[in-house]
Amino acid sequence: MAVTNYILVCGGTGCESAKADAIYQNLIHASQTEGVSETVQIVKTGCFGFCEQGPIVKILPEDSFYVQVKPEDAEEIIKEHVVKGREVKRLLYNKDNSKKHAKVEDIQFYQKQFRIVLRNCGFINPEDINEYIAREGYAALEKVLFEMTPDDIISELKVSGLKGRGGAGFPTWLKWKFTKDIDDPVKYVVCNADEGDPGAYMDRSTLEGDPHSVLEAMTIAGYTTGANKGYIYIRAEYPLAINRLKLAMEQAREYGLLGENILDSGFSFDVDIRLGAGAFVCGEETALLTSLEGNRGMPKPRPPFPAVKGLWDQPTVINNVETWANIPVIILRGGEWFAKIGTEDSKGTKVFALTGKIRNSGLVEVPMGTTLREIIFDIGGGIANDKEFKAVQTGGPSGGVITKEYLDTPIDYFHLQELGSMMGSGGMIVMDEDDCIVDVTKFYLGFTVDESCGKCSPCRVGGRTLYNILDRITKGKGEMDDIDKMRSVGHAMTKASLCGLGQTAPNPILSTLRYFEKEYHAHIKDKKCPSGKCKELISYYILADKCIGCAACARKCPVAAITGERRKIHRIDQDLCVKCGICYETCKFDAIYVG
Amino acid sequence: MAEQKDTIAFSDELKAYINEWKHKEGNLIMILHKVQQEFKYVPREAADIVAQMTDVPLAKIYGVLTFYHYFKLKKPGKFNIQVCLGTACYLKGADGLIEELENVLGIAEHEVTEDGLFSIEPVRCVGCCGLAPVLVIDDEVYGKVTKDQLPGIIAKYQ
Ligand SMILES: Cc1cc2nc3c(=O)[nH]c(=O)nc-3n(C[C@H](O)[C@H](O)[C@H](O)COP(=O)(O)O)c2cc1C
Ligand code: FES
């Protein structure tokens, strides 16, 4: 019997943790009990990107997009959709109930997206090499092995304009050329899958959804540069991605696409996995290589660059997961095709992990040059809970904030840097009026201080100094000259730190001072936190005209600071109050005021 | 052999893994991962055994263990509650979740309850930012967690 329906279940980590596996099992079970197991093919795919609405189930050929599916829904999906051909309307995504049938192309979340890196995520079963091959997988490898010289490949990459997606934006072709031009029998290819930026998961989703694309690209780099060995350095926190990679490697070896004498070309290349162990600095390339060698992940001064002297002092090409995932497409479609996408400065697309106070959290891939407004408001659906947009943070702990006035800036390496932020690896964190800029900045500094390896003193001492000042400010103990102090310590760190971690650690401060200096002043001079986040600077009051004396807050107050007779106005004893905010969350009458 | 009750034994699988890996380059971190997988932390005696089996000095092993956050030197609770403190989760109030857990369990971060059942471990981004704030217990991920849900979640493991 021919297969008439394909059911794609999201198997990315986000959905997987929200019971995607149970849904998958239940769908299989239901298809068997309903006697349709021969006509439906049920596949677990990689991340669809629309994580806010997960777990997601998509059914072809109708292209029905079911959201927030529960394991219990599986039976209905099979009985109704597959057996009777009727869509399960209540599970379809429709934002405002205006549309009855939400097809993928109708969903605004996807409309402005353009998928190169995530081309296979959500379309194929990442655990089956045949599905990758069916979508032109390994065709690029075949093409380079039999039709292109290493120089051809490098010039194709040069034409494409591809720059590294791991943060620094270094031209990929140049890196490869450095390594290729060195005459040395032992060279390495490394994939940076350490994804340290907290709040970002682009690389994880790519590896989970399309592991072969990275393996294929690394093999192409091996052929180009003359390396026969590759390593994928991946966070231990990503078990699903690790397993899918391992499986992909096994399958590729079985098919003769990895290992000795690939496709009988005479070229041999193999890949091994090495696990990270939770150190942010190991995302920095020299630290990563030191860690890969089995040591404490301390960075080294550059030059020499890894391309010349890298792993075990041998020439090493190191690229980020997303950079790798672009390579096979560039080889197949050509550098010129790729260069038509994007802006003058930045070609191709970029994947962002859109999170924070956004309505539709998720993974989005857009052409370079898309504006922040399009990403946040059109794709992301705007700010959650109808709050006011305050800022968006890009570049993680090394980046900065961008405010409302600059929402129409086209996103590329150049423009983001001009605004005092950076592309970074693709974390995009949206903040609303309730978020305190000083507090968030302290969060980032806390992160980098925690993660500083301690080797160089500008970073070790400078970072700690900056954190302490911020901590003081959030506690109402800041002084006005703290601002200049932060600027000068920050600039010194930028200049004198050994590696990118310390050089960029002050960026969150310098950038927020640029746009939100007033908010710092409010904390320092007025001893007020305008967004009501810094506990030491706020007090809770009960508004006499709103309190009805229900005593709900008094019952919940953990320190019995709220008193009053029933049906009479209550009050909060400021000396007892620990500012936990429970009264504020409890009151149904908006009678608690934070100020 | 009075010390007998303190000594620990490596499973055959772990021993085989170490023997397989000890000749590979850059193996130490991989071996320590496997040890932690078996014991949920890296006990001192285990580090000794690794040193003996691989000929790597104990000082280097501890150098590596202490550098990386992922490795634990203290035994965690039977159920280690990992609270994500990545940026997305932080903005959505993960610090409040930690405070509330500390209240409910009566322990601080990185401590273990007296009955050995629970410990609290703040972690950095578990990669489910769309579900923020997130906590993970025994590989089970809880998303969009609120403070009120915490007692109920804990009760499931008691
Ligand atoms: C502190 C720090 C952390 C970094 N973390 C990562 C990371 O998690 N993932 C990544 O791919 N690159 C990271 N990088 C960038 C790498 O050093 C390097 O530029 C990148 O792996 C090169 O690959 P690309 O050219 O493909 O971007 C980090 C850099 C610094 C300074
Ligand atoms: S920030 Fe918590 S899962 Fe990413």
Side-chain angles (χ1 to χ4, degrees):
Chain A
M1 229 187 285
V3 172
T4 52
N5 276 117
Y6 291 86
I7 305 185
L8 302 164
V9 184
C10 177
T13 291
C15 286
E16 192 81 325
S17 27
K19 312 273 180 294
D21 194 52
I23 296 170
Y24 173 73
Q25 300 297 346
N26 287 1
L27 283 169
I28 290 189
H29 182 77
S31 71
Q32 284 159 352
T33 44
E34 292 302 313
V36 291
S37 57
E38 310 251 299
T39 60
V40 289
Q41 190 173 346
I42 304 169
V43 175
K44 235 193 322 178
T45 72
C47 180
F48 285 94
F50 204 3
C51 308
E52 184 74 38
Q53 295 287 337
I56 286 167
V57 172
K58 189 164 100 173
I59 305 191
L60 301 176
E62 294 84 2
D63 212 11
S64 309
F65 198 78
Y66 294 141
V67 297
Q68 297 184 356
V69 179
K70 298 199 171 57
E72 309 82 273
D73 298 328
E75 201 181 322
E76 189 178 344
I77 291 177
I78 296 291
K79 276 189 177 161
E80 283 295 307
H81 190 129
V82 177
V83 178
K84 298 190 186 138
R86 295 197 296 234
E87 280 186 319
V88 184
K89 293 230 165 59
R90 67 181 179 89
L91 294 174
L92 288 172
Y93 174 73
N94 57 6
K95 192 172 131 230
D96 36 21
N97 293 324
S98 58
K99 272 193 217 87
K100 287 239 164 58
H101 298 261
K103 306 290 175 219
V104 174
E105 70 262 28
D106 295 334
I107 299 176
Q108 206 176 14
F109 181 79
Y110 290 107
Q111 280 170 357
K112 294 205 166 165
Q113 297 202 43
F114 186 85
R115 299 188 151 212
I116 297 177
V117 174
L118 302 177
R119 60 193 178 277
N120 291 324
C121 285
F123 289 97
I124 64 167
N125 174 358
E127 299 186 355
D128 184 353
I129 189 172
N130 292 316
E131 298 207 4
Y132 179 69
I133 292 172
R135 287 175 63 98
E136 300 188 309
Y138 290 105
L141 178 61
E142 198 176 343
K143 181 170 170 186
V144 300
L145 289 178
F146 299 105
E147 296 168 28
M148 294 173 86
T149 64
D151 285 322
D152 292 340
I153 299 168
I154 286 178
S155 66
E156 204 64 50
L157 285 185
K158 186 174 178 184
V159 171
S160 79
L162 177 67
K163 293 184 190 175
R165 303 295 196 238
F170 192 81
T172 306
W173 71 272
L174 194 55
K175 214 183 243 189
W176 290 28
K177 184 168 160 45
F178 285 146
T179 303
K180 188 208 122 226
D181 286 347
I182 296 170
D183 188 18
D184 196 317
V186 182
K187 300 179 188 174
Y188 295 101
V189 172
V190 173
C191 169
N192 186 343
D194 198 40
E195 194 154 59
D197 175 358
Y201 57 107
M202 304 78 46
D203 294 349
R204 158 182 228 159
S205 300
T206 307
L207 290 170
E208 285 175 359
D210 198 15
H212 286 286
S213 66
V214 172
L215 294 178
E216 181 179 8
M218 289 176 72
T219 312
I220 292 172
Y223 170 76
T224 312
T225 59
N228 302 105
K229 178 85 203 177
Y231 289 97
I232 300 176
Y233 184 91
I234 180 167
R235 299 180 68 192
E237 290 89 339
Y238 286 1
L240 188 63
I242 295 166
N243 285 337
R244 291 206 174 136
L245 270 172
K246 282 188 183 155
L247 199 64
M249 282 156 51
E250 268 168 39
Q251 292 178 351
R253 280 187 204 116
E254 222 170 86
Y255 277 55
L257 296 163
L258 195 65
E260 292 292 317
N261 191 18
I262 292 172
L263 295 172
D264 275 334
S265 64
F267 171 66
S268 301
F269 185 80
D270 214 332
V271 176
D272 233 340
I273 291 180
R274 288 291 187 276
L275 302 186
F280 175 63
V281 71
C282 290
E284 195 279 334
E285 54 189 23
T286 60
L288 183 149
L289 296 176
T290 322
S291 173
L292 224 162
E293 291 165 3
N295 304 312
R296 293 163 70 94
M298 298 283 199
K300 293 180 186 160
R302 299 178 310 175
F305 287 90
V308 178
K309 200 172 169 194
L311 193 59
W312 291 295
D313 288 341
Q314 298 304 121
T316 303
V317 167
I318 173 166
N319 279 123
N320 159 267
V321 171
E322 190 178 331
T323 315
W324 288 120
N326 275 298
I327 302 281
V329 185
I330 293 176
I331 297 292
L332 283 183
R333 299 271 145 81
E336 276 185 34
W337 172 83
F338 190 83
K340 285 202 192 105
I341 306 159
T343 65
E344 190 56 40
D345 166 76
S346 312
K347 303 300 183 191
T349 59
K350 180 77 195 84
V351 184
F352 291 99
L354 187 59
T355 62
K357 304 294 179 63
I358 186 93
R359 191 164 283 142
N360 299 325
S361 271
L363 267 200
V364 303
E365 179 172 358
V366 289
M368 296 278 190
T370 305
T371 65
L372 284 163
R373 187 184 303 283
E374 288 172 292
I375 296 185
I376 295 169
F377 290 91
D378 297 344
I379 297 175
I383 310 302
N385 304 320
D386 295 318
K387 297 266 180 179
E388 190 71 26
F389 170 83
K390 181 164 188 172
V392 53
Q393 212 276 357
T394 67
S398 314
V401 292
I402 295 161
T403 51
K404 204 162 60 198
E405 296 77 42
Y406 301 98
L407 278 175
D408 292 310
T409 311
I411 298 177
D412 60 17
Y413 291 94
F414 171 77
H415 283 98
L416 288 181
Q417 221 156 24
E418 207 181 41
L419 291 176
S421 186
M422 62 186 273
M423 182 75 83
S425 54
M428 188 175 272
I429 292 172
V430 177
M431 295 177 234
D432 70 13
E433 54 189 301
D434 292 342
D435 295 314
C436 167
I437 282 294
V438 187
D439 178 69
V440 173
T441 307
K442 185 172 101 173
F443 168 83
Y444 280 117
L445 261 290
F447 180 83
T448 37
V449 166
D450 234 21
E451 296 294 339
S452 165
C453 74
K455 184 167 169 178
C456 73
S457 53
C459 173
R460 189 181 63 238
V461 181
R464 172 60 65 187
T465 309
L466 291 176
Y467 178 82
N468 289 346
I469 296 178
L470 285 168
D471 191 47
R472 265 207 314 266
I473 297 178
T474 56
K475 296 199 164 120
K477 300 197 178 116
E479 282 155 26
M480 280 309 281
D481 63 354
D482 279 341
I483 292 195
D484 283 340
K485 231 182 264 169
M486 286 196 293
R487 281 206 173 99
S488 70
V489 174
H491 287 303
M493 278 177 77
T494 305
K495 285 211 192 74
S497 296
L498 174 63
C499 86
L501 190 147
Q503 289 158 9
T504 58
N507 283 358
I509 298 189
L510 300 174
S511 143
T512 49
L513 279 177
R514 176 164 164 188
Y515 299 109
F516 292 99
E517 190 166 339
K518 276 203 195 124
E519 201 165 320
Y520 281 89
H521 290 184
H523 284 75
I524 297 171
K525 279 203 279 202
D526 314 337
K527 310 290 174 207
K528 286 249 179 300
C529 174
S531 36
K533 169 84 193 173
C534 299
K535 273 189 186 168
E536 273 86 350
L537 301 181
I538 53 169
S539 307
Y540 289 89
Y541 304 101
I542 293 179
L543 296 172
D545 55 337
K546 295 225 171 117
C547 177
I548 62 153
C550 70
C553 58
R555 277 195 299 275
K556 284 241 177 144
C557 177
V559 291
I562 306 182
T563 49
E565 281 174 48
R566 259 194 98 67
R567 314 235 169 272
K568 297 249 167 73
I569 297 162
H570 281 51
R571 61 178 292 275
I572 301 176
D573 184 335
Q574 297 298 337
D575 291 336
L576 291 178
C577 175
V578 292
K579 296 166 185 173
C580 65
I582 290 177
C583 55
Y584 180 79
E585 285 162 22
T586 306
C587 182
K588 293 200 173 69
F589 305 97
D590 291 331
I592 310 272
Y593 169 79
V594 194
Chain B
M1 298 287 270
E3 299 283 305
Q4 192 81 46
K5 70 178 194 311
D6 276 39
T7 52
I8 55 167
F10 281 12
S11 68
D12 290 341
E13 191 200 339
L14 178 55
K15 280 191 219 149
Y17 185 90
I18 296 176
N19 283 326
E20 181 199 331
W21 275 82
K22 74 178 176 196
H23 303 294
K24 294 193 191 175
E25 287 172 308
N27 53 19
L28 182 55
I29 295 174
M30 298 301 280
I31 290 174
L32 294 174
H33 271 297
K34 195 78 182 173
V35 172
Q36 176 153 308
Q37 210 177 21
E38 183 150 320
F39 298 101
K40 289 175 103 177
Y41 73 115
V42 183
R44 166 68 200 229
E45 297 89 332
D48 283 337
I49 299 176
V50 171
Q52 279 164 24
M53 288 183 74
T54 58
D55 272 338
V56 175
L58 192 62
K60 165 148 189 194
I61 293 179
Y62 268 88
V64 167
L65 284 174
T66 50
F67 183 84
Y68 295 98
H69 300 303
Y70 195 82
F71 294 123
K72 296 192 189 72
L73 298 177
K74 263 181 21 198
K75 190 174 180 173
K78 182 163 176 230
F79 302 106
N80 185 35
I81 308 179
Q82 297 180 310
V83 185
C84 177
L85 266 190
T87 322
C89 290
Y90 180 77
L91 281 185
K92 296 230 172 141
D95 52 339
L97 292 183
I98 292 200
E99 257 172 46
E100 185 69 11
L101 277 174
E102 290 177 338
N103 284 338
V104 175
L105 295 173
I107 50 170
E109 286 172 12
H110 298 297
E111 287 181 359
V112 185
T113 50
E114 239 164 57
D115 55 9
L117 220 45
F118 296 104
S119 48
I120 306 174
E121 184 193 10
V123 294
R124 301 294 191 188
C125 189
V126 296
C128 308
C129 321
L131 304 176
V134 170
L135 56 87
V136 186
I137 307 175
D138 243 3
D139 286 339
E140 172 131 25
V141 177
Y142 295 85
K144 303 191 178 172
V145 180
T146 59
K147 282 189 204 166
D148 319 344
Q149 293 171 349
L150 291 176
I153 293 176
I154 291 170
K156 278 175 52 181
Y157 297 89
Q158 269 163 343

